[in-house]
Amino acid sequence: MVSNRHNYREKVSQMISWGHWFALFNILLSLGVGSRYLFVADWPSSLLGRSYALVSWLGHFSFIVFAVYLLIVFPLTFVVMSQRLLRFLSAALATAGLTLLLLDMEVFSRFHLHLNLTVWELVINPEQSDLARDWQLMFIGIPVIFMVEMLFGTWCWQKLRSLNRHRIGMPVAAVFISAFFASHMMYIWADANFYRPITMQRATLPLSYPMTARRFLEKHGLLDAQAYERRIALQGNPEAITLDYPLNTIQFRDAGSGYNLLIVVADQLPLTRMPQLMRFAEENVHFSNHFNVGQNAQSSLFNLFYGISTTYMDGVLSARTPSVLVSSLNQQGYQFGLFSSNGFDNPLYRQALLSDFSLSVPVIQRDADTVQQWQTWLETATQPTSPWFSYIELGTTGPHALTDAKATDQSISAILNTLQSQGKLDNTVVVITAKSSEQEKGSRYRRSQWQIPLVVHWPGTPAQTIIKMTDQKDVMVTLMQRLLYVKTSATDYAQGEDLFSAQRRNNWLVNGNRGALMITTPQQIIQLEANGSYDAYNSDGEKLRDEKPSLPLLLQVLTSERRFIAN
C-alpha cells in the first residue's frame, strides 16, 4: 500500500513537472505565432505604446496558455495514469488551441475582427470558394502541428530529469506574471488619461479584456466621470481605431464643373407638413428611399461629409481628420460660407470637420436670422470669378413640432427664392436633407424610422423620383465625382456610390451603430453585433425568428468595413 502510494505520488509529480515544460513550450510557440497580431494591427507611434504592445503580447499569451494548462491538463494528471495518454491528450488540446489561434489571426487580418459564431459560419461556408480554399490550406497544417506537439512531448518526457536540473522555472514565471500585471496597470493609466497609443490596442489580441478601473478611480477621487464623458463626446472613444483615410491622394481631371454648391441640413424634414419643400422636390430630383442608419444626428453629418461609415467616427475625432469633401472643395478654389442656427455646437464640427476654420462661441439663433446672414453673405462676400460652397444648418425640433416644420419650410423657401431671384439657381447644385427622421411610435427597427428626405437640384437634370436605396455617403461620392471631377477611385475615399447610377453596385447599406453594424437591404434591417450575434427585422420592425444570416452579404459588408483601418 505504501509502495503504491509512493509510486502514485512520484508519477503524478513527474507528469506535473512534464506539464510545466509542455506549457512553457506552448507559451513560446503561441508567442511566436501570435506575434503576427503586432504586425497586422496598427503599430503605435510612441515608445510607450510600443512597449505596451510587447508587454501585453508577452503577458496575455503566457496567461492564456497557462490558464488552459491549469484548468484542463493539470487536473488530468491526477486522473490519467498513463503518461502516453496524457501526452496524446495534451498534444491534441495544444493542436486545437494553435489551430484556433491561426484561424483567428487570419480572420483578424481580413476583417479586423476576432473569431465568433458568425465569422465561423463564413469560414466553413462552401459558397465562398476563394475564402474556403484559404481555410482548407490552413487546415493542412494541423497534422504538422500535432506531430510537433507529440515529438516535443515525447522528448520532454525522456529528458525530464536533465530539464529539471535547469532552475529557470521561477525566473520565467516571474517575467510572465510581471508582464501580465504590468500590461493591465498600463492600460488602466492609459484609459484614465486618454492615451490612445495604448487604448487603441484594446481589441488587438484574442480574448483580451484589459482592465479600466474607472469606478475605482472615480470612487477614490482620481477620475472625474463627467469630465471623462465630456471628453469622449468631444474626442471620441479612447479605444478608437486609427484610420488610413483617404487611401490615396485626391486628384482631379480638371477644375471641376464650376457649379456652386449649397447644402441645407435640418434636424428633421417632415415633407407631408412642408408644402413648399414638397413642391420643390416634385420639380427636381427626389430620393424617396434615402436612409440614415446611425445612432444620432451626428452620424448623418459624418456620413454626408466623410462618405464613410460611422464605425470610423471616433478615429476621425481622435486624429482631427479633415473631410475629403471639404478639402477638395478648398483645393478647387471654392469660396466658403458656413451658417448654423445652433452655432456649430457639435463636436464633429469643432474637433474635425471644421477644425481648420475659425468658429465663434456657439450661439443659438432663429432660422430666420441664419437665412438672413446667408443672404447678406451671398450678396456682399462672394466673387463671381470663382464658385462658392455654402452650408446652412437649420433647427426644426422643439416643443411645437408643427410650428417648427412650417417655419423651416418657409426658411428653405426663402433660401431657394433668393437663388432664383439672383439668377444663381441655374448654376448651383442644391442638396436638402435632414439629420434624422421624424420619430414614430413602435419599433426602432421599423424601416420608416431610418428614412430621411433627400432633395437634389442639379442644373440640367430633369425632375424625377428615384426609388433605389441611397444614404448620405452616396451624396458625398456624387459631389466628388460629378461636381468636383475627382478622378481618384471612389473606393479610395468613400464607401458610398453615385446617386444617379441606374442601380447600386451593392444592394445594401451599412453604418456603425453603438459598436454594432446596421445593414439595410431591400427587405430587412439587420443588426450585427461585434460579438457575432445577428438579428434581422422586417419593414415593420418585427424581429424575424430563426433567421439565418446571408453569408455572402456579411462577407461583403465585413470586407467593406475593413477598408480604411490602418495597418
Side-chain angles (χ1 to χ4, degrees), residues 374-394:
W374 172 78
Q375 291 171 332
T376 302
W377 171 83
L378 188 66
E379 293 176 3
T380 61
T382 56
Q383 301 297 324
T385 54
S386 59
W388 50 261
F389 161 60
S390 186
Y391 172 67
I392 304 175
E393 183 181 44
L394 303 176

Side-chain angles (χ1 to χ4, degrees), residues 17-163:
S17 180
W18 173 86
H20 290 163
W21 287 104
F22 189 76
L24 177 60
F25 172 73
N26 278 281
I27 287 174
L28 297 177
L29 203 57
S30 64
L31 285 171
V33 173
S35 62
R36 187 184 172 195
Y37 286 103
L38 303 180
F39 298 98
V40 172
D42 185 35
W43 186 241
S45 57
S46 70
L47 178 60
L48 189 57
R50 294 173 181 178
S51 300
Y52 172 80
L54 295 174
V55 169
S56 63
W57 162 74
L58 186 63
H60 181 68
F61 281 111
S62 61
F63 172 79
I64 293 294
V65 174
F66 193 74
V68 171
Y69 162 76
L70 206 60
L71 294 174
I72 301 177
V73 178
F74 181 70
L76 286 176
T77 58
F78 297 93
V79 179
V80 179
M81 289 295 98
S82 169
Q83 48 91 6
R84 289 188 177 86
L85 180 58
L86 180 66
R87 295 204 307 266
F88 175 82
L89 293 175
S90 300
L93 178 64
T95 301
L98 286 171
T99 302
L100 287 175
L101 180 61
L102 288 169
L103 195 59
D104 182 84
M105 193 160 30
E106 188 64 27
V107 168
F108 187 79
S109 66
R110 285 177 179 268
F111 308 123
H112 214 77
L113 292 172
H114 290 294
L115 199 59
N116 55 51
L117 291 176
T118 301
V119 175
W120 176 255
E121 298 243 358
L122 285 176
V123 170
I124 62 175
N125 178 26
E127 296 178 17
Q128 304 302 318
S129 56
D130 294 338
L131 197 60
R133 191 184 310 116
D134 292 343
W135 304 135
Q136 290 166 4
L137 291 174
M138 185 182 301
F139 286 127
I140 293 175
I142 293 178
V144 177
I145 297 173
F146 182 73
M147 182 180 67
V148 170
E149 295 286 352
M150 286 295 294
L151 287 175
F152 178 81
T154 302
W155 177 84
C156 181
W157 182 263
Q158 293 171 351
K159 301 292 183 179
L160 189 59
R161 290 185 181 276
S162 59
L163 287 172

Side-chain angles (χ1 to χ4, degrees), residues 249-555:
T249 304
I250 301 300
Q251 296 181 338
F252 306 90
R253 294 199 303 271
D254 52 40
S257 65
Y259 290 146
N260 305 313
L261 174 61
L262 170 64
I263 297 179
V264 180
V265 176
D267 291 340
Q268 296 174 4
L269 290 176
L271 286 180
T272 55
R273 300 202 301 273
M274 305 180 75
Q276 297 181 79
L277 179 58
M278 180 64 82
R279 188 181 309 112
F280 183 75
E282 293 171 351
E283 296 171 352
N284 291 277
V285 186
H286 179 208
F287 295 85
S288 61
N289 207 14
H290 192 70
F291 288 84
N292 169 38
V293 186
Q295 68 263 39
N296 51 43
Q298 189 165 274
S299 303
S300 177
L301 295 174
F302 183 81
N303 294 154
L304 180 64
F305 284 99
Y306 285 86
I308 56 179
S309 168
T310 48
T311 305
Y312 300 104
M313 185 157 60
D314 286 328
V316 165
L317 291 174
S318 167
R320 301 175 70 92
T321 306
S323 160
V324 168
L325 175 59
V326 173
S327 299
S328 298
L329 286 165
N330 192 42
Q331 284 181 262
Q332 291 290 62
Y334 274 71
Q335 306 167 72
F336 279 67
L338 309 173
F339 307 89
S340 173
S341 294
N342 68 7
F344 298 106
D345 189 15
N346 186 313
L348 179 62
Y349 290 133
R350 297 181 174 271
Q351 184 70 10
L353 181 58
L354 304 178
S355 59
D356 293 335
F357 295 82
S358 298
L359 299 178
S360 58
V361 176
V363 176
I364 298 177
Q365 62 184 13
R366 298 181 307 149
D367 287 347
D369 296 332
T370 302
V371 172
Q372 187 175 17
Q373 291 172 0
W374 172 78
Q375 291 171 332
T376 302
W377 171 83
L378 188 66
E379 293 176 3
T380 61
T382 56
Q383 301 297 324
T385 54
S386 59
W388 50 261
F389 161 60
S390 186
Y391 172 67
I392 304 175
E393 183 181 44
L394 303 176
T396 63
T397 56
H400 307 292
L402 186 60
T403 306
D404 290 339
K406 182 178 180 180
T408 302
D409 193 33
Q410 293 173 348
S411 297
I412 294 176
S413 179
I415 292 170
L416 298 174
N417 290 336
T418 299
L419 290 176
Q420 185 74 51
S421 64
Q422 295 187 16
K424 296 181 179 179
L425 186 60
D426 292 339
N427 194 40
T428 301
V429 173
V430 180
V431 177
I432 303 174
T433 188
K435 299 175 188 174
S436 60
S437 63
E438 189 176 16
Q439 296 301 304
E440 306 171 355
K441 293 182 180 179
S443 171
R444 65 185 292 264
Y445 296 101
R446 181 181 295 171
R447 200 174 190 82
S448 58
Q449 298 275 46
W450 303 98
Q451 289 179 300
I452 59 175
L454 174 64
V455 179
V456 175
H457 166 77
W458 202 289
T461 303
Q464 56 189 301
T465 297
I466 296 179
I467 61 173
K468 73 170 184 177
M469 291 194 309
T470 56
D471 71 357
Q472 301 288 58
K473 297 188 290 294
D474 300 333
V475 178
M476 184 266 198
V477 170
T478 305
L479 294 175
M480 293 285 283
Q481 293 180 333
R482 291 178 177 264
L483 178 72
L484 302 178
Y485 291 0
V486 171
K487 70 177 182 180
T488 304
S489 172
T491 56
D492 284 347
Y493 57 82
Q495 293 173 300
E497 301 182 16
D498 189 344
L499 286 170
F500 296 104
S501 62
Q503 59 184 8
R504 296 194 67 83
R505 184 175 63 255
N506 295 316
N507 200 23
W508 45 263
L509 307 171
V510 65
N511 214 3
N513 188 9
R514 297 186 179 94
L517 289 179
M518 302 297 294
I519 307 166
T520 306
T521 71
Q523 295 80 28
Q524 300 175 350
I525 286 183
I526 300 164
Q527 178 168 289
L528 179 64
E529 299 286 352
N531 61 8
S533 63
Y534 173 100
D535 293 312
Y537 302 85
N538 63 18
S539 58
D540 294 324
E542 297 171 345
K543 187 174 182 178
L544 301 174
R545 305 294 178 184
D546 302 321
E547 181 75 8
K548 297 295 183 182
S550 169
L551 299 180
L553 169 64
L554 295 185
L555 182 61

